[in-house]
Coordinates of all heavy atoms in Angstrom, one line a residue:
M78 N 2.0 -65.0 -69.2 CA 2.6 -63.7 -68.9 C 2.1 -62.7 -69.9 O 2.1 -62.9 -71.1 CB 4.2 -63.8 -69.1 CG 4.9 -62.5 -68.9 SD 6.6 -62.6 -69.3 CE 7.2 -63.5 -67.9
N79 N 1.6 -61.6 -69.4 CA 1.1 -60.5 -70.3 C 2.2 -59.5 -70.6 O 3.3 -59.5 -69.9 CB -0.2 -59.9 -69.7 CG 0.0 -59.3 -68.4 OD1 1.1 -58.8 -68.0 ND2 -1.0 -59.4 -67.5
G80 N 1.9 -58.6 -71.5 CA 2.9 -57.6 -71.9 C 3.3 -56.7 -70.7 O 4.4 -56.3 -70.7
D81 N 2.4 -56.5 -69.8 CA 2.6 -55.6 -68.7 C 3.7 -56.2 -67.8 O 4.6 -55.5 -67.3 CB 1.3 -55.5 -67.9 CG 1.3 -54.2 -67.1 OD1 1.8 -53.2 -67.6 OD2 0.7 -54.2 -66.0
E82 N 3.6 -57.5 -67.5 CA 4.5 -58.2 -66.7 C 5.9 -58.3 -67.3 O 6.9 -58.1 -66.7 CB 4.0 -59.7 -66.4 CG 4.8 -60.3 -65.3 CD 4.3 -61.8 -65.0 OE1 3.3 -62.2 -65.7 OE2 4.9 -62.4 -64.2
L83 N 5.9 -58.5 -68.6 CA 7.2 -58.5 -69.4 C 7.9 -57.1 -69.2 O 9.1 -57.1 -68.9 CB 6.9 -58.8 -70.9 CG 8.1 -58.8 -71.8 CD1 9.1 -59.9 -71.4 CD2 7.7 -59.0 -73.2
G84 N 7.1 -56.1 -69.4 CA 7.7 -54.7 -69.3 C 8.2 -54.5 -67.9 O 9.3 -53.9 -67.7
Q85 N 7.4 -54.9 -66.9 CA 7.9 -54.7 -65.5 C 9.1 -55.5 -65.2 O 10.0 -55.0 -64.5 CB 6.8 -55.2 -64.5 CG 5.6 -54.2 -64.4 CD 4.5 -54.7 -63.5 OE1 4.6 -55.8 -63.0 NE2 3.4 -54.0 -63.5
L86 N 9.2 -56.7 -65.7 CA 10.4 -57.5 -65.4 C 11.6 -56.9 -66.1 O 12.7 -56.8 -65.6 CB 10.2 -58.9 -65.9 CG 9.3 -59.8 -65.1 CD1 8.9 -61.1 -65.8 CD2 9.9 -60.1 -63.7
R87 N 11.4 -56.3 -67.3 CA 12.6 -55.7 -68.0 C 13.0 -54.4 -67.3 O 14.2 -54.1 -67.3 CB 12.2 -55.4 -69.5 CG 12.2 -56.7 -70.3 CD 11.9 -56.5 -71.7 NE 12.1 -57.8 -72.5 CZ 11.6 -58.0 -73.7 NH1 11.0 -57.0 -74.3 NH2 11.9 -59.1 -74.3
T88 N 12.0 -53.7 -66.7 CA 12.4 -52.5 -65.9 C 13.2 -52.9 -64.7 O 14.2 -52.3 -64.4 CB 11.1 -51.8 -65.5 OG1 10.3 -51.4 -66.7 CG2 11.4 -50.5 -64.7
E89 N 12.8 -54.0 -64.1 CA 13.5 -54.6 -62.9 C 14.9 -55.0 -63.3 O 15.9 -54.7 -62.6 CB 12.8 -55.8 -62.3 CG 13.4 -56.3 -61.1 CD 12.7 -57.6 -60.5 OE1 11.6 -57.9 -61.0 OE2 13.3 -58.2 -59.7
I90 N 15.1 -55.6 -64.5 CA 16.4 -56.1 -65.0 C 17.3 -54.8 -65.3 O 18.4 -54.8 -64.9 CB 16.2 -56.9 -66.3 CG1 15.6 -58.3 -65.9 CG2 17.6 -57.1 -67.0 CD1 15.1 -59.1 -67.1
D91 N 16.7 -53.8 -65.9 CA 17.5 -52.6 -66.2 C 18.0 -52.0 -64.9 O 19.1 -51.5 -64.8 CB 16.6 -51.6 -67.0 CG 16.4 -52.0 -68.4 OD1 17.1 -52.9 -68.9 OD2 15.5 -51.4 -69.0
S92 N 17.1 -52.0 -63.9 CA 17.5 -51.4 -62.6 C 18.6 -52.2 -61.9 O 19.6 -51.7 -61.4 CB 16.3 -51.2 -61.8 OG 16.5 -51.1 -60.4
L93 N 18.5 -53.5 -62.0 CA 19.5 -54.4 -61.4 C 20.8 -54.3 -62.1 O 21.9 -54.3 -61.5 CB 19.0 -55.9 -61.4 CG 17.9 -56.2 -60.5 CD1 17.3 -57.6 -60.8 CD2 18.3 -56.2 -59.0
D94 N 20.8 -54.1 -63.5 CA 22.0 -54.0 -64.3 C 22.7 -52.7 -63.8 O 23.9 -52.6 -63.7 CB 21.7 -53.9 -65.8 CG 21.3 -55.3 -66.3 OD1 21.5 -56.3 -65.6 OD2 20.8 -55.3 -67.5
E95 N 21.9 -51.6 -63.6 CA 22.5 -50.4 -63.2 C 23.2 -50.5 -61.8 O 24.3 -50.0 -61.6 CB 21.5 -49.2 -63.1 CG 22.1 -47.9 -62.8 CD 21.1 -46.7 -62.8 OE1 20.0 -46.9 -63.4 OE2 21.5 -45.7 -62.3
E96 N 22.5 -51.3 -60.9 CA 23.1 -51.5 -59.6 C 24.5 -52.3 -59.7 O 25.5 -52.0 -59.1 CB 22.2 -52.3 -58.7 CG 21.0 -51.6 -58.2 CD 21.4 -50.4 -57.3 OE1 22.2 -50.6 -56.4 OE2 20.9 -49.3 -57.6
L97 N 24.5 -53.3 -60.6 CA 25.7 -54.1 -60.8 C 26.8 -53.2 -61.3 O 28.0 -53.3 -60.9 CB 25.4 -55.2 -61.9 CG 24.8 -56.5 -61.4 CD1 24.5 -57.3 -62.6 CD2 25.8 -57.2 -60.5
I98 N 26.5 -52.3 -62.3 CA 27.5 -51.4 -62.8 C 28.0 -50.4 -61.8 O 29.2 -50.2 -61.6 CB 27.0 -50.7 -64.1 CG1 26.8 -51.7 -65.2 CG2 27.9 -49.6 -64.5 CD1 26.0 -51.2 -66.4
K99 N 27.1 -49.9 -61.0 CA 27.5 -49.0 -59.9 C 28.4 -49.7 -58.9 O 29.4 -49.1 -58.5 CB 26.2 -48.5 -59.2 CG 26.3 -47.1 -58.7 CD 25.1 -46.8 -57.8 CE 23.7 -46.8 -58.5 NZ 22.6 -46.5 -57.6
I100 N 28.1 -50.9 -58.5 CA 28.9 -51.7 -57.6 C 30.3 -52.0 -58.2 O 31.3 -51.9 -57.5 CB 28.1 -52.9 -57.1 CG1 27.0 -52.5 -56.2 CG2 29.1 -53.9 -56.4 CD1 26.0 -53.6 -55.9
L101 N 30.3 -52.3 -59.5 CA 31.6 -52.6 -60.1 C 32.4 -51.3 -60.1 O 33.7 -51.4 -59.9 CB 31.4 -53.0 -61.6 CG 31.2 -54.5 -61.8 CD1 31.0 -54.8 -63.3 CD2 32.5 -55.3 -61.3
A102 N 31.8 -50.2 -60.4 CA 32.5 -48.9 -60.4 C 33.1 -48.6 -59.0 O 34.3 -48.3 -58.8 CB 31.6 -47.8 -60.8
L103 N 32.3 -48.9 -57.9 CA 32.8 -48.7 -56.5 C 34.0 -49.7 -56.3 O 35.0 -49.3 -55.6 CB 31.7 -48.9 -55.5 CG 30.6 -47.8 -55.5 CD1 29.4 -48.2 -54.6 CD2 31.2 -46.5 -55.1
R104 N 33.9 -50.9 -56.8 CA 34.9 -51.9 -56.6 C 36.2 -51.4 -57.3 O 37.3 -51.5 -56.7 CB 34.5 -53.3 -57.1 CG 35.4 -54.4 -56.7 CD 35.0 -55.7 -57.3 NE 35.6 -56.8 -56.7 CZ 36.9 -57.3 -56.9 NH1 37.7 -56.6 -57.7 NH2 37.4 -58.3 -56.2
F105 N 36.1 -50.9 -58.5 CA 37.3 -50.4 -59.2 C 37.9 -49.2 -58.5 O 39.1 -49.1 -58.5 CB 37.0 -50.1 -60.7 CG 36.9 -51.3 -61.5 CD1 35.7 -51.6 -62.2 CD2 38.0 -52.2 -61.6 CE1 35.6 -52.8 -63.0 CE2 37.9 -53.4 -62.4 CZ 36.7 -53.7 -63.1
I106 N 37.1 -48.4 -57.9 CA 37.7 -47.2 -57.1 C 38.5 -47.8 -55.9 O 39.6 -47.3 -55.7 CB 36.5 -46.3 -56.6 CG1 35.9 -45.5 -57.8 CG2 37.1 -45.3 -55.6 CD1 34.7 -44.8 -57.5
A107 N 37.9 -48.8 -55.2 CA 38.6 -49.3 -54.1 C 39.9 -50.0 -54.5 O 41.0 -49.9 -53.9 CB 37.7 -50.3 -53.3
T108 N 39.8 -50.8 -55.6 CA 41.0 -51.6 -56.0 C 42.1 -50.6 -56.6 O 43.3 -50.9 -56.5 CB 40.7 -52.7 -57.1 OG1 39.9 -52.1 -58.2 CG2 39.8 -53.8 -56.5
S109 N 41.7 -49.5 -57.2 CA 42.7 -48.5 -57.6 C 43.5 -48.0 -56.5 O 44.7 -47.8 -56.6 CB 42.0 -47.4 -58.4 OG 41.5 -47.8 -59.6
K110 N 42.8 -47.8 -55.3 CA 43.5 -47.3 -54.1 C 44.5 -48.4 -53.7 O 45.6 -48.0 -53.2 CB 42.5 -46.9 -53.0 CG 41.7 -45.7 -53.4 CD 40.6 -45.4 -52.3 CE 39.7 -44.3 -52.7 NZ 38.6 -44.2 -51.8
V111 N 44.1 -49.6 -53.7 CA 45.0 -50.7 -53.3 C 46.2 -50.7 -54.3 O 47.3 -50.9 -53.8 CB 44.3 -52.1 -53.4 CG1 45.2 -53.2 -53.2 CG2 43.2 -52.2 -52.4
G112 N 46.0 -50.5 -55.6 CA 47.0 -50.4 -56.6 C 48.1 -49.4 -56.2 O 49.3 -49.6 -56.4
I113 N 47.6 -48.2 -55.8 CA 48.5 -47.1 -55.4 C 49.3 -47.5 -54.2 O 50.5 -47.3 -54.2 CB 47.7 -45.8 -55.2 CG1 47.1 -45.4 -56.5 CG2 48.5 -44.7 -54.6 CD1 46.0 -44.3 -56.4
I114 N 48.7 -48.1 -53.2 CA 49.4 -48.5 -52.0 C 50.4 -49.6 -52.3 O 51.6 -49.5 -51.9 CB 48.4 -49.0 -50.9 CG1 47.5 -47.9 -50.4 CG2 49.1 -49.7 -49.8 CD1 46.3 -48.4 -49.6
K115 N 50.0 -50.6 -53.2 CA 51.0 -51.6 -53.5 C 52.2 -51.1 -54.3 O 53.3 -51.5 -54.1 CB 50.3 -52.8 -54.3 CG 49.3 -53.5 -53.4 CD 49.0 -54.9 -53.8 CE 48.3 -55.0 -55.2 NZ 47.7 -56.4 -55.4
A116 N 51.9 -50.2 -55.2 CA 53.0 -49.6 -56.0 C 54.0 -48.8 -55.1 O 55.2 -49.0 -55.2 CB 52.5 -48.7 -57.1
A117 N 53.4 -48.1 -54.1 CA 54.2 -47.3 -53.2 C 55.1 -48.3 -52.3 O 56.2 -47.9 -51.9 CB 53.4 -46.5 -52.3
K118 N 54.6 -49.5 -52.0 CA 55.3 -50.4 -51.2 C 56.1 -51.4 -52.0 O 56.6 -52.4 -51.5 CB 54.4 -51.2 -50.3 CG 53.7 -50.3 -49.3 CD 52.8 -51.1 -48.3 CE 52.3 -50.2 -47.2 NZ 51.7 -51.0 -46.1
S119 N 56.2 -51.2 -53.3 CA 56.8 -52.1 -54.3 C 56.3 -53.6 -54.2 O 57.1 -54.5 -54.2 CB 58.4 -52.1 -54.1 OG 58.8 -50.8 -54.4
L120 N 55.0 -53.7 -53.9 CA 54.4 -55.0 -53.9 C 54.0 -55.5 -55.3 O 53.6 -54.6 -56.1 CB 53.2 -55.0 -52.9 CG 53.5 -54.8 -51.4 CD1 52.2 -54.6 -50.7 CD2 54.3 -55.9 -50.9
E121 N 53.9 -56.8 -55.5 CA 53.5 -57.3 -56.8 C 52.0 -56.9 -57.1 O 51.2 -56.9 -56.1 CB 53.6 -58.8 -56.8 CG 55.0 -59.4 -56.9 CD 55.7 -59.0 -58.2 OE1 55.1 -58.9 -59.3 OE2 56.9 -58.6 -58.1
A122 N 51.7 -56.7 -58.4 CA 50.3 -56.4 -58.7 C 49.4 -57.6 -58.4 O 48.3 -57.3 -57.9 CB 50.2 -56.1 -60.2
V123 N 49.8 -58.8 -58.6 CA 49.0 -60.0 -58.4 C 49.3 -60.5 -57.0 O 50.5 -60.6 -56.6 CB 49.3 -61.1 -59.4 CG1 48.3 -62.3 -59.2 CG2 49.3 -60.6 -60.8
D124 N 48.2 -60.9 -56.3 CA 48.4 -61.6 -55.0 C 47.7 -62.9 -55.0 O 46.5 -63.0 -54.7 CB 47.9 -60.7 -53.9 CG 48.1 -61.2 -52.5 OD1 48.3 -62.5 -52.4 OD2 48.1 -60.4 -51.5
P125 N 48.3 -64.0 -55.5 CA 47.7 -65.3 -55.6 C 47.0 -65.8 -54.4 O 46.0 -66.5 -54.4 CB 48.8 -66.2 -56.1 CG 49.8 -65.3 -56.7 CD 49.8 -64.0 -55.8
S126 N 47.7 -65.6 -53.2 CA 47.1 -66.1 -52.0 C 45.7 -65.4 -51.6 O 44.8 -66.1 -51.2 CB 48.1 -66.1 -50.8 OG 48.4 -64.8 -50.6
R127 N 45.7 -64.1 -51.8 CA 44.5 -63.4 -51.6 C 43.4 -63.9 -52.6 O 42.2 -64.1 -52.3 CB 44.7 -61.9 -51.8 CG 43.5 -61.0 -52.0 CD 42.8 -60.6 -50.7 NE 41.7 -59.7 -51.0 CZ 40.6 -59.7 -50.3 NH1 40.4 -60.6 -49.4 NH2 39.6 -58.9 -50.6
E128 N 43.8 -64.1 -53.9 CA 42.8 -64.5 -54.9 C 42.3 -65.9 -54.6 O 41.1 -66.2 -54.9 CB 43.5 -64.5 -56.3 CG 43.7 -63.1 -56.8 CD 44.2 -63.0 -58.2 OE1 44.0 -64.0 -59.0 OE2 44.7 -61.9 -58.6
A129 N 43.1 -66.8 -54.0 CA 42.7 -68.1 -53.7 C 41.6 -68.1 -52.6 O 40.6 -68.8 -52.7 CB 43.8 -69.0 -53.3
I130 N 41.8 -67.2 -51.6 CA 40.8 -67.1 -50.5 C 39.5 -66.5 -51.1 O 38.4 -67.0 -50.8 CB 41.4 -66.1 -49.4 CG1 42.6 -66.8 -48.7 CG2 40.3 -65.7 -48.4 CD1 43.4 -65.9 -47.9
Q131 N 39.7 -65.5 -52.0 CA 38.4 -64.9 -52.6 C 37.7 -66.0 -53.4 O 36.5 -66.0 -53.3 CB 38.8 -63.7 -53.5 CG 39.2 -62.5 -52.7 CD 39.9 -61.5 -53.6 OE1 41.0 -61.7 -54.1 NE2 39.2 -60.4 -54.0
A132 N 38.4 -66.8 -54.2 CA 37.8 -67.8 -55.1 C 37.0 -68.7 -54.2 O 35.8 -69.1 -54.6 CB 38.8 -68.5 -55.9
Q133 N 37.5 -69.1 -53.1 CA 36.8 -70.0 -52.2 C 35.5 -69.4 -51.7 O 34.4 -70.0 -51.7 CB 37.7 -70.3 -50.9 CG 38.7 -71.3 -51.1 CD 38.1 -72.7 -50.9 OE1 38.0 -73.4 -51.9 NE2 37.7 -73.0 -49.7
R134 N 35.6 -68.1 -51.3 CA 34.5 -67.4 -50.8 C 33.4 -67.2 -51.9 O 32.2 -67.3 -51.6 CB 34.9 -66.0 -50.3 CG 33.9 -65.2 -49.7 CD 34.4 -64.0 -48.8 NE 33.4 -63.3 -48.3 CZ 32.9 -62.2 -48.9 NH1 33.4 -61.7 -50.0 NH2 31.8 -61.5 -48.3
Y135 N 33.8 -66.9 -53.1 CA 32.9 -66.8 -54.2 C 32.1 -68.0 -54.4 O 30.9 -68.0 -54.7 CB 33.6 -66.4 -55.6 CG 34.4 -65.1 -55.5 CD1 35.5 -65.0 -56.3 CD2 33.9 -64.0 -54.8 CE1 36.2 -63.8 -56.3 CE2 34.6 -62.8 -54.8 CZ 35.8 -62.7 -55.5 OH 36.5 -61.6 -55.5
S136 N 32.7 -69.2 -54.3 CA 32.0 -70.5 -54.5 C 31.0 -70.7 -53.4 O 29.9 -71.1 -53.7 CB 33.0 -71.6 -54.4 OG 33.9 -71.6 -55.6
V137 N 31.4 -70.3 -52.2 CA 30.4 -70.5 -51.1 C 29.2 -69.5 -51.3 O 28.0 -69.9 -51.2 CB 31.1 -70.1 -49.7 CG1 30.1 -70.1 -48.6 CG2 32.2 -71.2 -49.4
L138 N 29.5 -68.3 -51.7 CA 28.4 -67.3 -51.9 C 27.5 -67.7 -53.1 O 26.3 -67.6 -53.0 CB 29.0 -65.9 -52.1 CG 29.6 -65.3 -50.8 CD1 30.4 -64.0 -51.2 CD2 28.5 -65.0 -49.8
A139 N 28.2 -68.2 -54.1 CA 27.4 -68.6 -55.3 C 26.4 -69.7 -54.9 O 25.2 -69.7 -55.3 CB 28.3 -69.0 -56.5
A140 N 26.9 -70.7 -54.2 CA 26.1 -71.8 -53.7 C 24.9 -71.3 -52.8 O 23.8 -71.7 -53.0 CB 26.9 -72.9 -53.0
Q141 N 25.3 -70.4 -51.9 CA 24.3 -69.8 -51.0 C 23.2 -69.1 -51.8 O 22.0 -69.2 -51.4 CB 25.1 -68.8 -50.1 CG 24.3 -68.3 -48.9 CD 25.2 -67.3 -48.1 OE1 26.3 -67.6 -47.8 NE2 24.6 -66.2 -47.7
Y142 N 23.5 -68.4 -52.8 CA 22.5 -67.6 -53.6 C 21.9 -68.4 -54.8 O 21.1 -67.8 -55.6 CB 23.1 -66.3 -54.0 CG 23.2 -65.3 -52.8 CD1 24.5 -65.1 -52.2 CD2 22.1 -64.7 -52.3 CE1 24.6 -64.3 -51.1 CE2 22.3 -63.9 -51.2 CZ 23.5 -63.6 -50.6 OH 23.6 -62.8 -49.5
G143 N 22.4 -69.6 -55.0 CA 21.8 -70.5 -56.0 C 22.2 -70.0 -57.4 O 21.5 -70.1 -58.4
V144 N 23.5 -69.5 -57.5 CA 24.0 -69.0 -58.8 C 25.1 -70.0 -59.2 O 25.8 -70.5 -58.4 CB 24.6 -67.6 -58.7 CG1 25.0 -67.1 -60.1 CG2 23.5 -66.6 -58.2
S145 N 25.3 -70.2 -60.5 CA 26.3 -71.1 -61.0 C 27.7 -70.7 -60.5 O 28.1 -69.5 -60.7 CB 26.3 -71.1 -62.5 OG 27.6 -71.5 -63.0
I146 N 28.4 -71.6 -59.8 CA 29.8 -71.3 -59.3 C 30.7 -71.0 -60.5 O 31.5 -70.1 -60.4 CB 30.3 -72.5 -58.5 CG1 29.4 -72.7 -57.2 CG2 31.8 -72.4 -58.2 CD1 29.8 -73.9 -56.4
E147 N 30.6 -71.8 -61.6 CA 31.4 -71.5 -62.7 C 31.2 -70.1 -63.3 O 32.2 -69.4 -63.6 CB 31.1 -72.6 -63.9 CG 31.5 -74.0 -63.5 CD 30.6 -74.7 -62.5 OE1 29.4 -74.3 -62.4 OE2 31.1 -75.6 -61.8
L148 N 30.0 -69.7 -63.4 CA 29.7 -68.3 -63.9 C 30.3 -67.3 -63.0 O 31.0 -66.4 -63.4 CB 28.2 -68.1 -64.0 CG 27.8 -66.6 -64.3 CD1 28.2 -66.2 -65.7 CD2 26.3 -66.4 -64.1
I149 N 30.1 -67.4 -61.7 CA 30.7 -66.5 -60.7 C 32.2 -66.4 -60.8 O 32.8 -65.4 -60.8 CB 30.2 -66.8 -59.3 CG1 28.6 -66.6 -59.2 CG2 30.9 -65.9 -58.2 CD1 28.2 -65.1 -59.5
Q150 N 32.8 -67.6 -60.9 CA 34.3 -67.6 -61.0 C 34.7 -66.9 -62.3 O 35.7 -66.2 -62.2 CB 34.8 -69.1 -61.0 CG 34.6 -69.8 -59.6 CD 35.4 -69.2 -58.5 OE1 36.3 -68.4 -58.6 NE2 35.1 -69.7 -57.2
K151 N 34.0 -67.1 -63.4 CA 34.4 -66.5 -64.6 C 34.3 -65.0 -64.6 O 35.1 -64.2 -65.0 CB 33.5 -67.0 -65.8 CG 34.1 -68.2 -66.5 CD 33.4 -68.4 -67.9 CE 32.1 -69.2 -67.7 NZ 31.4 -69.5 -68.9
V152 N 33.2 -64.6 -64.0 CA 32.9 -63.1 -63.8 C 34.0 -62.5 -63.0 O 34.6 -61.5 -63.5 CB 31.5 -62.8 -63.2 CG1 31.4 -61.4 -62.8 CG2 30.4 -63.2 -64.1
F153 N 34.3 -63.1 -61.9 CA 35.4 -62.5 -61.0 C 36.8 -62.6 -61.6 O 37.6 -61.7 -61.4 CB 35.3 -63.0 -59.6 CG 34.3 -62.3 -58.8 CD1 33.0 -62.9 -58.5 CD2 34.6 -61.0 -58.2 CE1 32.1 -62.2 -57.8 CE2 33.6 -60.3 -57.5 CZ 32.3 -60.9 -57.3
R154 N 37.0 -63.7 -62.4 CA 38.3 -63.8 -63.1 C 38.5 -62.6 -64.0 O 39.6 -62.0 -64.1 CB 38.4 -65.1 -63.8 CG 39.7 -65.6 -64.4 CD 40.8 -65.8 -63.4 NE 41.6 -64.6 -63.1 CZ 42.2 -64.4 -62.0 NH1 42.2 -65.2 -61.0 NH2 42.9 -63.3 -61.9
T155 N 37.4 -62.3 -64.8 CA 37.5 -61.2 -65.7 C 37.7 -59.9 -65.0 O 38.6 -59.0 -65.4 CB 36.2 -61.1 -66.5 OG1 36.0 -62.3 -67.2 CG2 36.2 -60.0 -67.5
V156 N 37.0 -59.7 -63.9 CA 37.1 -58.4 -63.1 C 38.5 -58.3 -62.5 O 39.2 -57.3 -62.6 CB 36.0 -58.3 -62.0 CG1 36.3 -57.2 -61.1 CG2 34.6 -58.2 -62.6
I157 N 39.0 -59.4 -61.9 CA 40.3 -59.3 -61.2 C 41.4 -59.2 -62.2 O 42.4 -58.5 -62.0 CB 40.5 -60.6 -60.3 CG1 39.4 -60.5 -59.2 CG2 41.9 -60.7 -59.7 CD1 39.4 -61.7 -58.2
D158 N 41.3 -59.8 -63.4 CA 42.3 -59.6 -64.4 C 42.4 -58.1 -64.8 O 43.5 -57.6 -65.0 CB 42.0 -60.5 -65.7 CG 42.3 -62.0 -65.5 OD1 43.0 -62.3 -64.5 OD2 41.9 -62.8 -66.3
E159 N 41.3 -57.5 -64.9 CA 41.3 -56.1 -65.2 C 42.0 -55.3 -64.1 O 42.7 -54.3 -64.4 CB 39.8 -55.6 -65.4 CG 39.6 -54.2 -65.8 CD 40.1 -53.9 -67.2 OE1 40.1 -54.8 -68.1 OE2 40.3 -52.7 -67.5
V160 N 41.7 -55.6 -62.9 CA 42.3 -54.9 -61.7 C 43.8 -55.1 -61.7 O 44.6 -54.1 -61.6 CB 41.7 -55.5 -60.4 CG1 42.5 -55.0 -59.2 CG2 40.2 -55.1 -60.3
V161 N 44.2 -56.3 -62.0 CA 45.7 -56.6 -62.0 C 46.4 -55.8 -63.1 O 47.5 -55.2 -62.9 CB 46.0 -58.1 -62.1 CG1 47.4 -58.4 -62.4 CG2 45.5 -58.8 -60.8
A162 N 45.7 -55.7 -64.3 CA 46.3 -55.0 -65.4 C 46.4 -53.5 -65.0 O 47.4 -52.8 -65.3 CB 45.4 -55.1 -66.6
N163 N 45.4 -53.0 -64.3 CA 45.4 -51.6 -63.8 C 46.5 -51.4 -62.8 O 47.2 -50.4 -62.8 CB 44.0 -51.4 -63.2 CG 43.9 -50.0 -62.6 OD1 43.9 -49.8 -61.4 ND2 43.7 -49.0 -63.5
H164 N 46.7 -52.4 -61.9 CA 47.8 -52.3 -60.9 C 49.2 -52.3 -61.5 O 50.1 -51.6 -61.1 CB 47.7 -53.5 -59.9 CG 46.6 -53.3 -58.9 ND1 46.4 -54.1 -57.8 CD2 45.6 -52.4 -58.8 CE1 45.4 -53.7 -57.1 NE2 44.8 -52.7 -57.7
Q165 N 49.3 -53.1 -62.6 CA 50.6 -53.2 -63.3 C 50.9 -51.8 -64.0 O 52.0 -51.3 -63.9 CB 50.6 -54.3 -64.4 CG 51.0 -55.6 -63.8 CD 50.5 -56.8 -64.5 OE1 49.7 -56.7 -65.5 NE2 51.0 -58.0 -64.1
A166 N 49.8 -51.2 -64.5 CA 50.0 -49.9 -65.2 C 50.3 -48.8 -64.1 O 51.2 -48.0 -64.3 CB 48.7 -49.5 -65.9
I167 N 49.7 -48.9 -62.9 CA 50.0 -47.9 -61.9 C 51.5 -48.1 -61.5 O 52.3 -47.1 -61.3 CB 49.1 -48.1 -60.6 CG1 47.7 -47.8 -61.0 CG2 49.6 -47.3 -59.4 CD1 46.6 -48.1 -59.9
R168 N 51.9 -49.4 -61.3 CA 53.3 -49.7 -60.9 C 54.3 -49.2 -61.9 O 55.3 -48.5 -61.5 CB 53.4 -51.2 -60.7 CG 54.7 -51.6 -60.0 CD 54.6 -52.9 -59.3 NE 55.9 -53.0 -58.6 CZ 56.6 -54.1 -58.5 NH1 56.1 -55.2 -59.0 NH2 57.7 -54.2 -57.8
E169 N 54.0 -49.4 -63.2 CA 54.9 -49.0 -64.2 C 55.0 -47.5 -64.3 O 56.1 -46.9 -64.4 CB 54.5 -49.5 -65.6 CG 55.1 -51.0 -65.8 CD 54.3 -51.8 -66.8 OE1 53.8 -51.2 -67.7 OE2 54.3 -53.0 -66.6
S170 N 53.9 -46.8 -64.1 CA 53.9 -45.3 -64.1 C 54.6 -44.7 -62.9 O 55.2 -43.7 -63.1 CB 52.5 -44.8 -64.2 OG 51.8 -44.9 -63.0
T171 N 54.7 -45.4 -61.8 CA 55.4 -44.9 -60.7 C 56.9 -45.2 -60.7 O 57.7 -44.6 -60.1 CB 54.8 -45.4 -59.3 OG1 54.9 -46.8 -59.3 CG2 53.4 -44.9 -59.0
L172 N 57.3 -46.2 -61.6 CA 58.7 -46.6 -61.7 C 59.4 -45.5 -62.6 O 60.6 -45.4 -62.5 CB 58.8 -48.0 -62.3 CG 58.5 -49.2 -61.4 CD1 58.6 -50.5 -62.2 CD2 59.4 -49.2 -60.2
K173 N 58.6 -44.8 -63.5 CA 59.2 -43.9 -64.4 C 59.7 -42.6 -63.8 O 59.2 -42.2 -62.8 CB 58.2 -43.6 -65.5 CG 58.1 -44.7 -66.5 CD 57.0 -44.5 -67.5 CE 56.7 -45.8 -68.3 NZ 55.4 -45.7 -68.9
Ligands
LIG86 C1 43.0 -55.8 -55.1 C2 44.1 -56.5 -55.0 O1 45.0 -56.8 -56.1 C3 44.7 -57.9 -57.0 C4 43.3 -57.9 -57.4 C5 42.4 -58.5 -56.6 C6 40.9 -58.2 -56.7 O2 40.5 -57.5 -57.6 O3 40.2 -58.6 -55.8 C7 42.8 -59.4 -55.6 C8 44.1 -59.7 -55.5 C9 45.2 -59.1 -56.3 O4 45.7 -60.1 -57.2 C10 44.7 -56.9 -53.7 O5 45.8 -57.3 -53.6 O6 43.9 -56.8 -52.7

């Protein structure tokens, strides 16, 4: 591998990282809207049955794309925990 290839690969990685962050931002916008709807309907912040279905799907997709299932589950656990904390905050702010 020459220096040119290394540089090109790092440029590709930087661009993919930006896409990941952009997609996460879009996901948080969508989940915030869900949080507002759930707070308005007095629904719990956490939905374990929905999360179980998603976890199943993440495993299938991880296998399909050849990515570690454990890694994907950990990444989404971190993201979903953040969403749930955000939903709890929305719920508490609407109760006041
Ligand atoms: C977004 C929701 O709220 C929570 C967060 C989820 C997520 O980030 O995907 C899934 C289920 C819920 O525990 C939802 O209920 O759909």
